[in-house]
Amino acid sequence: MPTASPRARRTYPVFVLLAFVSMVGDAMALFALTLAAADQLGSWGVTILFLTGLIPPILAAPLVGRLVDGTNLRRIWVASLLAHVLLFALMALVDDLRVSLVLMCGASISAVINASAIFKLIPSLRGPLPLARASSLIVSAGSLAGILAPPIAALAYTAWSVQPVLALNALGFTVLALGAGLVVPRRAVPVDLKEPRAGGDGAGARILFTDRLLALLLIPMAAVVLFTSAEGVAGVFYLRSVAGNDTLYAVMLGAWSVGALIGALTGGSRFLGARVRTPVLLGGVLIGAAILAEGLWPDALVILAVFLLGGFGNGMHNTGVRNAVYARIPEAHHGAAWAYLTVVFKIMVGLGFLLGTPGLVVDSDRLIIIAAGTGSLAAVLLALVGIRAADRHRRTPVLN
């Protein structure tokens, strides 16, 4: 392996820091707006806010794919950060939550562009790091952002209200845009103007299913998002009743997040990073087993232990998902593939929220959690059966 230049060694840590801060900013804005919507508009306001994060990115996925794969990546990343600045500044200036909900449609699309650009930049900016390790650092940054952003946003919202939080985000994304322009080289990723457009706007969606292994792994990928989302909703009621107080409930959630950080870093190890299906499937098993155990044994100490294990599997799984796309999708389609995969995950989150709402499909929150754990394990088993069947039809197994 050629020795990386000192610049390359310095660039990736700064890139990870920029990505981390952007994740914290997006999560803080969403959490603060969720609190404001609940306080000012009631449950329907929260529902509308959720829809602004779901529907616009689905409709814009073809455009996002074309932009990220067919445009100078440095420009498109800086542009997405500047779009955040404009939108958050407008939300802060216009003291009307209904206007903010409309503007969140644009912010949701910009967030997908931001995530897709970060995903595509990783291979070219990683320097001497193996790709799996570099990817795991981004997943770890996302896990850490998920831990830090909600309490910071809650404290800021309680102290100031939502407008100052949004103004702070606008300022932060201004600094991020400047940093991105300085850190990312002008030609960080070569652009093939023809290749991303091959097959039309739907090429990015079809590319996810043309590789048989990736198509099979999409089963547990989607299932994990679906069932962890369902558990997240039902768990609000179930875990609080098991814990007896909100402090212990928060500690339980923190145990999953701590496990996810460790699992993300482990997923980038030399052993797991060299494998496509192992971290996705093993992570799915650990997630499903942890959720199932949560439902079967309503004991706080047991749940704390299994949540560490489930979070570990979650972090490993998330790193494995990214590495699978890198390994099986041509580089020219990385942006589109990630944009469409993000849409798939958003749809699964929406369905999970519905399935996990007690009384909507199933009355018992505990039964929902047991079903979520069982469904996750079943999805992994189904993928394994499909992979084994595909391997048997080939003289030399290639689905590894």
Side-chain angles (χ1 to χ4, degrees):
M1 177 184 295
T3 303
S5 68
R7 175 181 170 82
R9 293 177 183 275
R10 292 193 302 267
T11 295
Y12 196 70
V14 178
F15 170 72
V16 172
L17 178 61
L18 292 174
F20 167 70
V21 176
S22 74
M23 295 172 191
V24 171
D26 274 328
M28 281 184 61
L30 179 60
F31 195 81
L33 284 167
T34 300
L35 296 177
D39 289 344
Q40 298 180 33
L41 303 176
S43 60
W44 72 267
V46 176
T47 300
I48 291 176
L49 179 63
F50 164 71
L51 292 176
T52 64
L54 177 64
I55 296 176
I58 292 174
L59 299 177
L63 174 61
V64 171
R66 289 202 307 275
L67 284 174
V68 176
D69 284 330
T71 309
N72 181 289
L73 205 51
R74 178 172 177 259
R75 292 177 185 171
I76 196 63
W77 192 30
V78 172
S80 75
L81 295 173
L82 289 175
H84 276 77
V85 174
L86 176 62
L87 292 165
F88 287 144
L90 287 173
M91 291 181 202
L93 290 172
V94 181
D95 190 8
D96 189 326
L97 188 57
R98 290 167 295 185
V99 174
S100 294
L101 292 178
V102 174
L103 292 174
M104 272 302 293
C105 294
S108 299
I109 296 172
S110 182
V112 175
I113 296 174
N114 179 43
S116 299
I118 289 171
F119 179 83
K120 187 156 185 171
L121 279 166
I122 290 173
S124 61
L125 297 182
R126 60 190 170 94
L129 286 175
L131 180 56
R133 172 59 66 195
S135 182
S136 74
L137 292 177
I138 293 292
V139 177
S140 299
S143 298
L144 186 58
I147 296 172
L148 296 178
I152 294 174
L155 289 172
Y157 175 78
T158 301
W160 301 327
S161 83
V162 71
Q163 260 65 42
V165 177
L166 296 170
L168 181 63
N169 264 19
L171 178 62
F173 274 95
T174 302
V175 177
L176 286 175
L178 178 62
L182 294 174
V183 168
V184 180
R186 292 180 182 276
R187 297 291 295 173
V189 179
V191 177
D192 186 337
L193 295 178
K194 295 181 180 179
E195 178 64 18
R197 292 170 172 78
D201 290 347
R206 289 194 296 273
I207 200 71
L208 290 173
F209 300 97
T210 55
D211 181 273
R212 182 172 295 182
L213 175 59
L214 194 56
L216 289 168
L217 290 179
L218 277 172
I219 299 171
M221 288 179 191
V224 161
V225 177
L226 172 69
F227 291 119
T228 54
S229 299
E231 187 280 335
V233 176
V236 171
F237 308 97
Y238 176 74
L239 291 176
R240 291 179 76 182
S241 67
V242 172
N245 62 78
D246 285 344
T247 300
L248 184 54
Y249 169 57
V251 171
M252 289 178 180
L253 298 183
W256 189 284
S257 299
V258 170
L261 275 173
I262 301 171
L265 293 173
T266 304
S269 65
R270 181 175 299 180
F271 175 79
L272 291 173
R275 287 158 174 79
V276 174
R277 63 186 180 188
T278 302
V280 174
L281 296 176
L282 179 58
V285 168
L286 293 176
I287 293 167
I291 295 175
L292 183 59
E294 170 196 356
L296 293 177
W297 286 280
D299 179 87
L301 292 179
V302 171
I303 293 174
L304 274 171
V306 299
F307 267 27
L308 277 171
L309 188 64
F312 179 86
N314 207 168
M316 181 197 306
H317 175 88
N318 291 347
T319 301
V321 170
R322 302 175 76 93
N323 292 337
V325 175
Y326 285 131
R328 310 296 292 199
I329 299 293
E331 184 179 2
H333 292 286
H334 279 173
W338 194 254
Y340 278 103
L341 193 59
T342 300
V343 167
V344 171
F345 291 160
K346 283 181 175 292
I347 293 172
M348 292 299 105
V349 168
L351 292 175
F353 285 167
L354 293 174
L355 294 175
T357 302
L360 188 60
V361 179
V362 177
D363 290 333
S364 168
D365 47 36
R366 185 180 181 185
L367 185 58
I368 291 171
I369 290 172
I370 292 172
T374 304
S376 298
L377 292 172
V380 173
L381 179 61
L382 181 60
L384 276 172
V385 170
I387 291 170
R388 293 290 178 86
D391 279 344
R392 282 198 299 269
H393 284 82
R394 300 173 182 270
R395 292 183 179 180
T396 303
V398 296
L399 299 186
N400 55 10

